[in-house]
Coordinates of all heavy atoms in Angstrom, one line a residue:
P651 N -45.5 49.7 -56.9 CA -45.5 49.5 -55.4 C -45.2 48.1 -55.1 O -45.9 47.1 -55.8 CB -47.0 49.8 -54.9 CG -47.8 50.1 -56.2 CD -46.9 49.9 -57.4
T652 N -44.3 47.7 -54.3 CA -44.0 46.2 -53.9 C -43.9 46.2 -52.4 O -43.7 47.1 -51.7 CB -42.7 45.8 -54.6 OG1 -41.6 46.4 -53.8 CG2 -42.5 46.4 -56.0
M653 N -43.8 44.8 -52.1 CA -43.5 44.6 -50.6 C -42.0 43.9 -50.7 O -41.7 43.3 -49.7 CB -44.4 43.6 -50.0 CG -45.9 44.2 -50.0 SD -46.9 43.6 -48.7 CE -47.2 41.9 -49.2
H660 N -41.6 41.5 -60.6 CA -41.5 42.9 -60.2 C -40.6 43.7 -61.2 O -40.9 44.7 -61.5 CB -40.8 43.1 -58.7 CG -41.5 42.5 -57.6 ND1 -41.0 41.3 -56.9 CD2 -42.7 42.8 -57.1 CE1 -41.8 41.1 -55.9 NE2 -42.9 41.9 -56.0
Y679 N -42.4 48.2 -49.2 CA -42.9 48.3 -47.8 C -43.9 47.1 -47.5 O -44.8 46.8 -48.2 CB -43.7 49.6 -47.7 CG -44.4 49.8 -46.4 CD1 -43.6 50.0 -45.3 CD2 -45.8 50.0 -46.2 CE1 -44.2 50.2 -44.0 CE2 -46.4 50.3 -45.0 CZ -45.6 50.4 -43.9 OH -46.2 50.6 -42.7
N681 N -46.5 45.8 -45.9 CA -47.7 46.7 -45.2 C -48.4 45.8 -44.2 O -49.1 44.9 -44.5 CB -48.7 47.0 -46.4 CG -49.9 47.7 -45.8 OD1 -49.9 48.4 -44.9 ND2 -51.0 47.3 -46.5
Q684 N -52.5 44.8 -44.2 CA -53.0 43.8 -45.3 C -52.8 42.4 -44.8 O -53.2 41.4 -45.5 CB -52.5 44.0 -46.6 CG -51.2 43.7 -46.9 CD -50.8 44.2 -48.3 OE1 -50.5 45.3 -48.5 NE2 -50.6 43.3 -49.3
Y694 N -42.6 37.2 -43.7 CA -42.5 37.6 -45.1 C -41.0 37.9 -45.4 O -40.4 38.7 -44.7 CB -43.4 38.8 -45.3 CG -43.7 39.1 -46.7 CD1 -44.8 38.4 -47.4 CD2 -42.9 39.9 -47.6 CE1 -45.1 38.5 -48.8 CE2 -43.3 40.0 -48.9 CZ -44.2 39.3 -49.5 OH -44.6 39.5 -50.8
H745 N -58.2 42.1 -45.7 CA -56.9 42.2 -46.4 C -57.1 43.3 -47.5 O -56.2 44.1 -47.5 CB -56.8 40.8 -47.3 CG -55.8 40.8 -48.3 ND1 -54.4 41.0 -48.0 CD2 -55.9 40.8 -49.8 CE1 -53.8 41.0 -49.1 NE2 -54.6 41.0 -50.1
V749 N -54.9 46.7 -48.3 CA -54.2 46.9 -49.5 C -54.7 48.3 -50.0 O -53.8 49.2 -50.5 CB -54.7 45.9 -50.6 CG1 -54.2 46.3 -51.9 CG2 -54.0 44.5 -50.2
V752 N -53.0 51.4 -48.1 CA -51.6 51.6 -48.3 C -51.4 52.1 -49.7 O -50.6 53.0 -49.8 CB -50.8 50.3 -47.9 CG1 -50.8 49.4 -49.0 CG2 -49.3 50.7 -47.6
V753 N -52.1 51.6 -50.6 CA -52.1 52.0 -52.0 C -52.4 53.5 -52.2 O -51.8 54.3 -52.8 CB -52.7 51.1 -53.1 CG1 -52.8 51.7 -54.4 CG2 -52.0 49.7 -53.1
L756 N -49.6 55.5 -50.7 CA -48.5 55.6 -51.6 C -48.7 56.4 -52.8 O -47.8 57.2 -53.2 CB -48.1 54.1 -51.9 CG -47.5 53.2 -50.8 CD1 -47.4 51.8 -51.3 CD2 -46.2 53.8 -50.4
F767 N -49.3 47.2 -61.9 CA -49.7 46.2 -61.0 C -49.7 44.8 -61.8 O -50.1 44.8 -63.0 CB -51.0 46.3 -60.4 CG -51.1 47.5 -59.5 CD1 -51.4 48.7 -59.8 CD2 -50.7 47.2 -58.1 CE1 -51.2 49.8 -58.9 CE2 -50.8 48.3 -57.2 CZ -51.0 49.6 -57.6
D771 N -52.3 39.2 -59.2 CA -53.2 39.6 -58.0 C -54.3 40.2 -58.7 O -54.6 41.5 -58.6 CB -52.5 40.6 -57.1 CG -51.3 39.8 -56.4 OD1 -51.6 38.8 -55.6 OD2 -50.1 40.2 -56.5
Q774 N -57.0 42.2 -56.5 CA -56.2 43.5 -56.0 C -56.3 44.5 -57.2 O -56.6 45.7 -57.0 CB -54.8 43.1 -55.6 CG -54.0 44.4 -55.4 CD -52.6 44.0 -54.8 OE1 -52.4 43.7 -53.8 NE2 -51.6 44.0 -55.7
I778 N -58.2 48.0 -56.9 CA -57.4 49.3 -57.1 C -57.9 50.2 -58.2 O -58.0 51.4 -58.1 CB -55.9 48.9 -57.1 CG1 -55.3 48.5 -55.9 CG2 -55.1 50.2 -57.5 CD1 -53.9 47.9 -56.0
Ligands
PAF273 O1 -49.0 43.3 -54.4 C1 -48.4 43.7 -53.4 O2 -47.2 43.5 -53.4 C2 -49.1 44.6 -52.4 O3 -50.3 44.1 -52.1 C3 -49.0 46.1 -52.7 C4 -49.7 46.4 -53.8 C5 -47.6 46.5 -52.8 C6 -49.6 46.9 -51.5 O4 -48.9 46.6 -50.2

Side-chain angles (χ1 to χ4, degrees):
T652 81
M653 296 206 298
H660 297 115
Y679 179 59
N681 170 38
Q684 69 189 76
Y694 195 85
H745 168 67
V749 170
V752 80
V753 169
L756 290 168
F767 293 89
D771 292 300
Q774 163 174 290
I778 290 169

